[in-house]
mmCIF file of all heavy atoms in Angstrom:
data_model
loop_
_atom_site.group_PDB
_atom_site.id
_atom_site.type_symbol
_atom_site.label_atom_id
_atom_site.label_comp_id
_atom_site.label_asym_id
_atom_site.label_seq_id
_atom_site.Cartn_x
_atom_site.Cartn_y
_atom_site.Cartn_z
ATOM 1 N N GLN A 9 -12.953 35.970 -53.251
ATOM 2 C CA GLN A 9 -12.284 36.074 -51.953
ATOM 3 C C GLN A 9 -12.396 34.761 -51.169
ATOM 4 O O GLN A 9 -11.436 34.320 -50.518
ATOM 5 C CB GLN A 9 -12.890 37.218 -51.138
ATOM 6 C CG GLN A 9 -12.130 37.531 -49.859
ATOM 7 C CD GLN A 9 -10.698 37.992 -50.135
ATOM 8 O OE1 GLN A 9 -10.467 38.836 -50.980
ATOM 9 N NE2 GLN A 9 -9.740 37.409 -49.414
ATOM 10 N N ASN A 16 -5.609 29.337 -49.551
ATOM 11 C CA ASN A 16 -4.493 29.758 -48.704
ATOM 12 C C ASN A 16 -4.531 29.055 -47.345
ATOM 13 O O ASN A 16 -3.483 28.691 -46.789
ATOM 14 C CB ASN A 16 -4.519 31.270 -48.501
ATOM 15 C CG ASN A 16 -4.058 32.011 -49.750
ATOM 16 O OD1 ASN A 16 -3.342 31.458 -50.596
ATOM 17 N ND2 ASN A 16 -4.474 33.262 -49.887
ATOM 18 N N TYR A 22 -6.828 21.624 -55.129
ATOM 19 C CA TYR A 22 -8.229 21.215 -55.282
ATOM 20 C C TYR A 22 -8.690 21.556 -56.687
ATOM 21 O O TYR A 22 -8.243 22.538 -57.279
ATOM 22 C CB TYR A 22 -9.138 21.947 -54.294
ATOM 23 C CG TYR A 22 -8.946 21.576 -52.842
ATOM 24 C CD1 TYR A 22 -8.182 22.374 -51.995
ATOM 25 C CD2 TYR A 22 -9.540 20.431 -52.326
ATOM 26 C CE1 TYR A 22 -8.019 22.044 -50.666
ATOM 27 C CE2 TYR A 22 -9.382 20.092 -50.993
ATOM 28 C CZ TYR A 22 -8.621 20.901 -50.168
ATOM 29 O OH TYR A 22 -8.460 20.583 -48.848
ATOM 30 N N PHE A 28 -16.043 23.936 -54.770
ATOM 31 C CA PHE A 28 -17.489 24.180 -54.750
ATOM 32 C C PHE A 28 -18.163 23.351 -53.652
ATOM 33 O O PHE A 28 -18.968 23.863 -52.858
ATOM 34 C CB PHE A 28 -18.080 23.840 -56.121
ATOM 35 C CG PHE A 28 -19.578 23.780 -56.156
ATOM 36 C CD1 PHE A 28 -20.340 24.933 -56.042
ATOM 37 C CD2 PHE A 28 -20.229 22.564 -56.311
ATOM 38 C CE1 PHE A 28 -21.724 24.874 -56.075
ATOM 39 C CE2 PHE A 28 -21.616 22.503 -56.342
ATOM 40 C CZ PHE A 28 -22.364 23.660 -56.233
ATOM 41 N N GLY A 36 -22.449 29.527 -56.490
ATOM 42 C CA GLY A 36 -22.765 28.711 -57.643
ATOM 43 C C GLY A 36 -21.519 28.077 -58.251
ATOM 44 O O GLY A 36 -20.406 28.595 -58.123
ATOM 45 N N GLU A 55 -2.334 27.313 -61.110
ATOM 46 C CA GLU A 55 -3.204 26.424 -61.861
ATOM 47 C C GLU A 55 -2.360 25.332 -62.516
ATOM 48 O O GLU A 55 -1.330 25.616 -63.117
ATOM 49 C CB GLU A 55 -3.963 27.201 -62.939
ATOM 50 C CG GLU A 55 -4.858 26.321 -63.805
ATOM 51 C CD GLU A 55 -5.495 27.099 -64.940
ATOM 52 O OE1 GLU A 55 -4.807 27.274 -65.987
ATOM 53 O OE2 GLU A 55 -6.634 27.555 -64.787
ATOM 54 N N VAL A 63 -6.431 21.859 -61.713
ATOM 55 C CA VAL A 63 -6.269 21.813 -60.266
ATOM 56 C C VAL A 63 -5.652 23.122 -59.804
ATOM 57 O O VAL A 63 -4.729 23.640 -60.440
ATOM 58 C CB VAL A 63 -5.373 20.625 -59.841
ATOM 59 C CG1 VAL A 63 -5.155 20.625 -58.337
ATOM 60 C CG2 VAL A 63 -5.990 19.310 -60.290
ATOM 61 N N ASP A 76 14.746 22.823 -42.522
ATOM 62 C CA ASP A 76 14.591 21.394 -42.244
ATOM 63 C C ASP A 76 14.303 21.118 -40.772
ATOM 64 O O ASP A 76 13.528 20.212 -40.436
ATOM 65 C CB ASP A 76 15.853 20.641 -42.671
ATOM 66 C CG ASP A 76 16.015 20.620 -44.189
ATOM 67 O OD1 ASP A 76 14.995 20.858 -44.875
ATOM 68 O OD2 ASP A 76 17.138 20.362 -44.662
ATOM 69 N N LYS A 80 11.135 19.057 -39.435
ATOM 70 C CA LYS A 80 11.240 17.866 -38.604
ATOM 71 C C LYS A 80 10.451 18.033 -37.305
ATOM 72 O O LYS A 80 9.819 17.085 -36.823
ATOM 73 C CB LYS A 80 12.707 17.575 -38.296
ATOM 74 C CG LYS A 80 13.495 17.092 -39.511
ATOM 75 C CD LYS A 80 14.946 16.833 -39.151
ATOM 76 C CE LYS A 80 15.733 16.353 -40.384
ATOM 77 N NZ LYS A 80 17.160 16.110 -40.063
ATOM 78 N N GLN A 101 -14.247 5.727 -27.053
ATOM 79 C CA GLN A 101 -14.945 4.468 -27.313
ATOM 80 C C GLN A 101 -15.284 3.741 -26.015
ATOM 81 O O GLN A 101 -16.373 3.180 -25.880
ATOM 82 C CB GLN A 101 -14.094 3.573 -28.216
ATOM 83 C CG GLN A 101 -13.967 4.089 -29.646
ATOM 84 C CD GLN A 101 -13.010 3.253 -30.479
ATOM 85 O OE1 GLN A 101 -12.212 2.479 -29.948
ATOM 86 N NE2 GLN A 101 -13.072 3.407 -31.801
ATOM 87 N N LEU A 103 -15.694 5.159 -23.064
ATOM 88 C CA LEU A 103 -16.740 5.935 -22.395
ATOM 89 C C LEU A 103 -18.102 5.722 -23.055
ATOM 90 O O LEU A 103 -19.124 5.626 -22.370
ATOM 91 C CB LEU A 103 -16.374 7.426 -22.405
ATOM 92 C CG LEU A 103 -15.160 7.819 -21.542
ATOM 93 C CD1 LEU A 103 -14.824 9.291 -21.742
ATOM 94 C CD2 LEU A 103 -15.450 7.534 -20.067
ATOM 95 N N THR A 116 -33.277 3.340 -10.728
ATOM 96 C CA THR A 116 -33.567 2.945 -9.344
ATOM 97 C C THR A 116 -35.064 2.773 -9.145
ATOM 98 O O THR A 116 -35.518 1.841 -8.466
ATOM 99 C CB THR A 116 -33.020 4.011 -8.374
ATOM 100 O OG1 THR A 116 -31.613 4.173 -8.595
ATOM 101 C CG2 THR A 116 -33.273 3.608 -6.933
ATOM 102 N N LEU A 126 -41.988 -8.592 -7.581
ATOM 103 C CA LEU A 126 -41.461 -9.914 -7.272
ATOM 104 C C LEU A 126 -41.768 -10.309 -5.829
ATOM 105 O O LEU A 126 -42.071 -11.481 -5.552
ATOM 106 C CB LEU A 126 -39.943 -9.935 -7.508
ATOM 107 C CG LEU A 126 -39.503 -9.833 -8.976
ATOM 108 C CD1 LEU A 126 -37.989 -9.685 -9.068
ATOM 109 C CD2 LEU A 126 -39.951 -11.071 -9.752
ATOM 110 N N THR A 127 -41.710 -9.346 -4.925
ATOM 111 C CA THR A 127 -42.041 -9.630 -3.519
ATOM 112 C C THR A 127 -43.490 -10.068 -3.394
ATOM 113 O O THR A 127 -43.808 -11.007 -2.650
ATOM 114 C CB THR A 127 -41.792 -8.373 -2.657
ATOM 115 O OG1 THR A 127 -40.422 -7.979 -2.765
ATOM 116 C CG2 THR A 127 -42.114 -8.662 -1.201
ATOM 117 N N VAL A 130 -43.786 -13.617 -4.672
ATOM 118 C CA VAL A 130 -43.252 -14.559 -3.685
ATOM 119 C C VAL A 130 -44.282 -14.830 -2.600
ATOM 120 O O VAL A 130 -44.476 -15.982 -2.167
ATOM 121 C CB VAL A 130 -41.946 -14.007 -3.069
ATOM 122 C CG1 VAL A 130 -41.530 -14.845 -1.853
ATOM 123 C CG2 VAL A 130 -40.833 -14.004 -4.098
ATOM 124 N N TYR A 133 -46.891 -17.176 -3.948
ATOM 125 C CA TYR A 133 -46.385 -18.546 -4.030
ATOM 126 C C TYR A 133 -46.288 -19.185 -2.640
ATOM 127 O O TYR A 133 -46.528 -20.390 -2.473
ATOM 128 C CB TYR A 133 -45.020 -18.569 -4.711
ATOM 129 C CG TYR A 133 -45.053 -18.184 -6.169
ATOM 130 C CD1 TYR A 133 -44.006 -17.483 -6.760
ATOM 131 C CD2 TYR A 133 -46.163 -18.502 -6.961
ATOM 132 C CE1 TYR A 133 -44.060 -17.124 -8.104
ATOM 133 C CE2 TYR A 133 -46.208 -18.143 -8.299
ATOM 134 C CZ TYR A 133 -45.157 -17.453 -8.868
ATOM 135 O OH TYR A 133 -45.212 -17.108 -10.189
ATOM 136 N N ILE A 147 -57.016 -25.363 -6.915
ATOM 137 C CA ILE A 147 -57.608 -24.862 -8.158
ATOM 138 C C ILE A 147 -59.023 -24.399 -7.868
ATOM 139 O O ILE A 147 -59.666 -24.880 -6.926
ATOM 140 C CB ILE A 147 -57.614 -25.928 -9.278
ATOM 141 C CG1 ILE A 147 -58.439 -27.137 -8.866
ATOM 142 C CG2 ILE A 147 -56.202 -26.345 -9.640
ATOM 143 C CD1 ILE A 147 -58.628 -28.141 -9.977
ATOM 144 N N ARG A 152 -61.807 -26.828 -11.982
ATOM 145 C CA ARG A 152 -62.059 -28.241 -11.694
ATOM 146 C C ARG A 152 -63.129 -28.798 -12.629
ATOM 147 O O ARG A 152 -62.986 -29.895 -13.193
ATOM 148 C CB ARG A 152 -62.490 -28.390 -10.242
ATOM 149 C CG ARG A 152 -62.591 -29.865 -9.793
ATOM 150 C CD ARG A 152 -63.463 -29.977 -8.561
ATOM 151 N NE ARG A 152 -62.982 -29.126 -7.496
ATOM 152 C CZ ARG A 152 -62.080 -29.506 -6.591
ATOM 153 N NH1 ARG A 152 -61.564 -30.731 -6.653
ATOM 154 N NH2 ARG A 152 -61.696 -28.684 -5.643
ATOM 155 N N ALA A 163 -62.655 -39.367 -22.770
ATOM 156 C CA ALA A 163 -62.900 -40.778 -22.464
ATOM 157 C C ALA A 163 -63.971 -41.341 -23.396
ATOM 158 O O ALA A 163 -63.849 -42.470 -23.908
ATOM 159 C CB ALA A 163 -63.318 -40.940 -21.009
ATOM 160 N N ARG A 169 -63.894 -44.507 -30.575
ATOM 161 C CA ARG A 169 -62.920 -44.880 -31.599
ATOM 162 C C ARG A 169 -62.469 -46.338 -31.437
ATOM 163 O O ARG A 169 -62.220 -47.029 -32.430
ATOM 164 C CB ARG A 169 -61.714 -43.939 -31.537
ATOM 165 C CG ARG A 169 -62.066 -42.513 -31.893
ATOM 166 C CD ARG A 169 -60.851 -41.658 -32.077
ATOM 167 N NE ARG A 169 -61.214 -40.286 -32.442
ATOM 168 C CZ ARG A 169 -60.372 -39.371 -32.910
ATOM 169 N NH1 ARG A 169 -59.099 -39.706 -33.076
ATOM 170 N NH2 ARG A 169 -60.784 -38.169 -33.203
ATOM 171 N N LYS A 170 -62.398 -46.780 -30.183
ATOM 172 C CA LYS A 170 -62.019 -48.177 -29.969
ATOM 173 C C LYS A 170 -63.103 -49.107 -30.526
ATOM 174 O O LYS A 170 -62.798 -50.140 -31.151
ATOM 175 C CB LYS A 170 -61.807 -48.418 -28.478
ATOM 176 C CG LYS A 170 -61.351 -49.842 -28.172
ATOM 177 C CD LYS A 170 -61.000 -49.993 -26.704
ATOM 178 C CE LYS A 170 -60.504 -51.422 -26.449
ATOM 179 N NZ LYS A 170 -60.110 -51.624 -25.033
ATOM 180 N N LEU A 177 -61.967 -54.169 -37.697
ATOM 181 C CA LEU A 177 -61.080 -55.326 -37.646
ATOM 182 C C LEU A 177 -61.871 -56.628 -37.643
ATOM 183 O O LEU A 177 -61.464 -57.631 -38.240
ATOM 184 C CB LEU A 177 -60.188 -55.245 -36.410
ATOM 185 C CG LEU A 177 -59.126 -54.136 -36.435
ATOM 186 C CD1 LEU A 177 -58.450 -54.013 -35.072
ATOM 187 C CD2 LEU A 177 -58.082 -54.421 -37.505
ATOM 188 N N GLU A 198 -51.481 -51.537 -32.419
ATOM 189 C CA GLU A 198 -51.181 -51.670 -31.004
ATOM 190 C C GLU A 198 -52.469 -51.456 -30.230
ATOM 191 O O GLU A 198 -53.195 -50.483 -30.476
ATOM 192 C CB GLU A 198 -50.119 -50.661 -30.573
ATOM 193 C CG GLU A 198 -48.765 -50.885 -31.254
ATOM 194 C CD GLU A 198 -47.748 -49.822 -30.852
ATOM 195 O OE1 GLU A 198 -48.172 -48.754 -30.383
ATOM 196 O OE2 GLU A 198 -46.545 -50.067 -31.003
ATOM 197 N N ASP A 202 -52.090 -54.131 -24.964
ATOM 198 C CA ASP A 202 -50.626 -54.206 -25.062
ATOM 199 C C ASP A 202 -49.945 -53.324 -24.020
ATOM 200 O O ASP A 202 -48.805 -53.597 -23.601
ATOM 201 C CB ASP A 202 -50.163 -53.791 -26.468
ATOM 202 C CG ASP A 202 -50.589 -54.788 -27.537
ATOM 203 O OD1 ASP A 202 -50.800 -55.967 -27.187
ATOM 204 O OD2 ASP A 202 -50.706 -54.384 -28.713
ATOM 205 N N ASN A 204 -51.627 -52.307 -21.150
ATOM 206 C CA ASN A 204 -52.343 -52.466 -19.872
ATOM 207 C C ASN A 204 -53.100 -51.205 -19.465
ATOM 208 O O ASN A 204 -53.013 -50.730 -18.318
ATOM 209 C CB ASN A 204 -51.366 -52.873 -18.766
ATOM 210 C CG ASN A 204 -50.742 -54.226 -18.998
ATOM 211 O OD1 ASN A 204 -51.415 -55.166 -19.455
ATOM 212 N ND2 ASN A 204 -49.439 -54.335 -18.720
#
Side-chain angles (χ1 to χ4, degrees):
Q9 188 62 47
N16 286 337
Y22 292 99
F28 168 71
E55 178 185 83
V63 177
D76 291 341
K80 290 179 180 179
Q101 291 175 344
L103 292 175
T116 303
L126 291 173
T127 301
V130 169
Y133 293 146
I147 61 173
R152 188 200 305 271
R169 295 191 179 193
K170 182 173 182 179
L177 291 171
E198 296 177 340
D202 292 335
N204 296 320

